[in-house]
């Protein structure tokens, strides 16, 4: 089971804070550092000092880390033109020495689009499919050849399809809860399917849909990596769990129901239940980025038991 650290910087984090967490992620033996792609805070937090851009952040971390994978859950397709995104991600992959992964989603948070003047089209999912086709098509075009795409929303003519990533193939993540279109997109384009904040029962159903869609598309269901993103709140005792839950504005009982919370033994047991239904990777949503002792506890008493 790979454990990856997943952050939500729109809730309030500077680049320096993210760098500190990414370095701790690397030093403590976690597999990767991922971040969300949002420009507006959610809920009752003030979001200060303001948003950071996902791919600018990852470009900086690419030069400041050496081992961990770096990526997004999920880059919002509404924020970037697909040709520009392909350039950005390939460049950051070069800067990292081939450690980047791209999670790409349709975009959903209308308020942040209004706040920063970003168009919020109705046909987001159809656009996402064209974006996935273009980004992966640009990267896979042979050197010396050009790439063309003529779709409903995007039109590329005689693109040199440069630059190329450092990796032969950048892993692409598709995720979500949709019962039909999401599994089909994952089966066609994804190396990994991720379902965020889902119960074991809902996860099992969605993994089954993706496996079936992969088989229909002529792939083995085992070609994909299956993962979850879940909020995490671990403590050595009930008091520590309660303190960490209070720090992120949640209740221990709710976190135990909807995430990974409790003692290290409780969290290891629940991760094992996700593993039994096919998950091989967990993105641990860390909401208190100043609590590095939390990361150390997860590393020493949860991750150590899973490896």
């Amino acid at each position: 089971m790979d454990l990856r650290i997943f952050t939500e910087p729109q809730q309030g984090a500077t680049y320096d804070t993210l760098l500190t967490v990414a370095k701790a992620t690397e030093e403590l033996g976690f597999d990767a550092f991922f971040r969300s792609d949002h420009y507006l805070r959610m809920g009752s937090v003030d979001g200060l000092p303001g948003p950071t851009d996902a791919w600018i952040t990852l470009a900086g971390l690419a030069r400041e880390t050496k081992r961990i994978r770096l990526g997004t859950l999920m880059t919002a397709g509404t924020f970037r033109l697909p040709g520009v995104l392909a350039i950005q991600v390939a460049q950051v992959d070069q800067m990292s020495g081939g450690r980047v992964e791209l999670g790409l989603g349709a975009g959903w948070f209308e308020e942040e689009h209004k706040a920063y003047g970003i168009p919020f089209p109705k046909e987001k999912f159809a656009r996402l499919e064209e974006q996935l086709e273009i980004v992966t098509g640009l990267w896979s075009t042979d050197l010396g050849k050009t790439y063309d795409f003529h779709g409903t929303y995007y039109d590329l003519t005689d693109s040199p399809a440069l630059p190329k990533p450092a990796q032969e193939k950048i892993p692409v993540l598709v995720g979500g809860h949709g019962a039909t279109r999401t599994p089909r997109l994952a089966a066609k384009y994804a190396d990994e399917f991720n379902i965020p904040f889902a119960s074991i029962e809902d996860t099992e159903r969605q993994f089954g849909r993706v496996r079936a869609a992969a088989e229909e598309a002529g792939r083995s269901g085992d070609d994909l990596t299956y993962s979850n993103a879940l909020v995490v709140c671990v403590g050595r005792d009930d008091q520590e769990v309660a303190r960490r839950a209070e720090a992120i504005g949640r209740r221990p009982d709710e976190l135990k129901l909807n995430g990974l919370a409790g003692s290290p033994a409780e969290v290891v047991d629940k991760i094992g239940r996700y593993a039994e239904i096919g998950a091989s990777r967990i993105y641990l949503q860390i909401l208190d980025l100043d609590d590095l002792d939390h990361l150390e506890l997860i590393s020493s008493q949860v991750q150590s038991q899973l490896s």
Side-chain angles (χ1 to χ4, degrees), residues 86-104:
I87 292 170
Q88 292 172 324
V89 178
Q91 182 179 358
V92 178
D93 194 53
Q94 291 176 359
M95 293 168 69
S96 71
R99 294 184 284 123
V100 158
E101 305 185 10
L102 172 63
L104 184 57

Side-chain angles (χ1 to χ4, degrees), residues 56-278:
I56 291 176
T57 296
L58 295 175
L61 297 181
R63 308 303 288 178
E64 298 276 5
T65 58
K66 299 183 183 305
R67 177 188 61 79
I68 50 173
R69 308 288 295 176
L70 301 166
T72 50
L73 282 182
M74 300 281 187
T75 290
T78 47
F79 289 173
R80 296 168 177 87
L81 296 171
V84 175
L85 180 61
I87 292 170
Q88 292 172 324
V89 178
Q91 182 179 358
V92 178
D93 194 53
Q94 291 176 359
M95 293 168 69
S96 71
R99 294 184 284 123
V100 158
E101 305 185 10
L102 172 63
L104 184 57
W108 61 270
F109 189 20
E110 186 172 5
E111 286 81 359
E112 69 186 336
H113 294 74
K114 291 179 179 178
Y116 286 96
I118 303 167
F120 190 68
K122 291 182 179 179
E123 64 290 339
K124 292 182 293 298
F125 205 91
R127 286 176 180 268
L128 173 61
E129 183 161 13
E130 289 194 8
Q131 291 165 339
L132 286 163
E133 179 69 36
I134 291 165
V135 170
T136 57
L138 287 167
W139 290 338
S140 62
T141 297
D142 292 335
L143 282 171
K145 295 186 178 180
T146 59
Y147 176 80
D148 290 81
F149 179 87
H150 307 293
T152 302
Y153 308 104
Y154 304 102
D155 198 286
L156 287 74
T157 301
D158 292 334
S159 172
L162 297 172
K164 296 303 185 193
Q167 298 175 83
E168 183 176 345
K169 186 181 190 310
I170 290 179
V172 172
L173 290 74
V174 171
H177 296 258
T180 304
R181 293 187 297 176
T182 296
R184 179 178 59 79
L185 280 193
K188 187 173 182 180
Y189 295 105
D191 302 283
E192 178 178 337
F193 177 77
N194 177 268
I195 183 166
F197 314 118
S199 67
I200 293 168
E201 294 76 19
D202 289 344
T203 296
E204 186 172 23
R205 277 191 294 271
Q206 189 69 334
F207 284 178
R209 293 183 187 118
V210 174
R211 286 183 176 276
E215 297 288 347
E216 281 187 33
R219 299 176 67 182
S220 167
D222 292 335
D223 283 349
L224 285 83
T225 296
Y226 296 87
S227 64
N228 290 83
L230 294 161
V231 64
V232 65
C233 180
V234 187
R236 295 172 181 83
D237 52 39
D238 290 343
Q239 291 74 23
E240 193 168 77
V241 174
R243 175 176 61 79
R244 289 199 162 109
E246 183 179 8
I248 60 174
R250 306 279 285 269
R251 301 190 319 275
D253 56 343
E254 178 267 323
L255 287 169
K256 288 184 180 185
L257 179 64
N258 297 313
L260 300 171
S263 69
E266 288 177 288
V267 171
V268 168
D269 178 70
K270 191 163 185 182
I271 289 175
R273 292 162 62 196
Y274 279 98
E276 288 173 358
I277 53 94

Side-chain angles (χ1 to χ4, degrees), residues 21-50:
V21 175
K23 286 187 170 180
T25 297
E26 186 159 84
E27 291 164 2
L28 292 170
F30 293 103
D31 182 61
F33 175 94
F34 271 57
R35 59 157 292 166
S36 60
D37 187 21
H38 287 293
Y39 292 136
L40 195 66
R41 59 110 179 104
M42 302 171 194
S44 60
V45 300
D46 58 26
L48 294 175

